[in-house]
Amino acid sequence: MSASALIGLAAEVGAPLVRRILERRVGGGNAKLAIDVAGAVARRAGIDVSELDAQAASRNPQVMTAIRDVETGEAAELIAVYAEEADARLALLSAESAETEPRWKSAWRPAMMYLIGFFWLWSIIIVPVSATFGIALDVPDLGLLMQLTLVYLSLYMGGHTVKAVAERFSNAR
């Protein structure tokens, strides 16, 4: 949805809060807030959201009234809701990043990353390069290494990576 006509109309009718939200200056580029405000204007005007920009360009008096109503009523409430949501996300992020446990309890994740990375480096680069110099090194089973990597990814990333790969392979067949 291009809201340029709606932004211009909001400025014209004296709704600076709605204009700033639609320009995404409030909420740090929060597109959902702008979509919700545009939806509230469309609801109040009694039209579909897809028609909102065209109606604003034709300077529909219902849209002008709806913008004023949203400015005085819903816009401030929506900003408060989104501010609370942002504060909750920040609190959750702070709680997750706070070190409440000993460091060694979460060290398995980066340690396994480096170990698996080393195994892949060994299998794909070190063994073939050493063979060119006549050095015989054991080649690990790449199928087993792939299984180890997938198990680690499923544990570390909640299984979403493995699930996405499995879905992609099942859809390809």
Side-chain angles (χ1 to χ4, degrees):
M1 174 184 95
S2 171
S4 58
L6 188 61
I7 292 169
L9 194 60
E12 185 178 318
V13 299
L17 189 57
V18 170
R19 180 180 54 84
R20 279 185 263 145
I21 290 171
L22 293 174
E23 288 175 339
R24 296 191 181 141
R25 283 197 234 156
V26 174
N30 193 346
K32 190 170 182 330
L33 179 59
I35 290 169
D36 286 350
V37 168
V41 170
R43 240 186 351 268
R44 293 238 180 172
I47 58 174
D48 191 38
V49 177
S50 60
E51 302 170 6
L52 189 58
D53 203 41
Q55 293 291 328
S58 67
R59 301 176 47 79
N60 185 336
Q62 291 175 327
V63 175
M64 296 171 90
T65 305
I67 290 173
R68 284 189 201 103
D69 291 346
V70 169
E71 171 79 18
T72 58
E74 291 178 52
E77 294 170 9
L78 285 172
I79 288 175
V81 167
Y82 283 98
E84 287 176 16
E85 182 181 322
D87 290 343
R89 274 187 266 156
L90 183 62
L92 179 63
L93 183 62
S94 297
E96 286 177 349
S97 65
E99 264 189 60
T100 57
E101 296 179 345
R103 193 93 169 125
W104 62 269
K105 283 189 176 182
S106 61
W108 72 272
R109 294 178 293 203
M112 278 299 290
M113 260 189 267
Y114 286 120
L115 183 64
I116 290 173
F118 174 74
F119 287 158
W120 280 106
L121 179 77
W122 178 271
S123 301
I124 295 174
I125 296 176
I126 295 175
V127 170
V129 169
S130 67
T132 60
F133 295 114
I135 303 168
L137 296 175
D138 287 335
V139 180
D141 181 16
L142 292 180
L144 184 63
L145 185 55
M146 179 59 81
Q147 289 176 359
L148 176 69
T149 303
L150 289 176
V151 166
Y152 171 73
L153 288 175
S154 66
L155 290 172
Y156 182 57
M157 297 181 181
H160 295 293
T161 303
V162 176
K163 185 178 95 177
V165 169
E167 285 176 359
R168 189 172 294 154
F169 280 127
S170 67
N171 291 338
R173 290 183 184 176

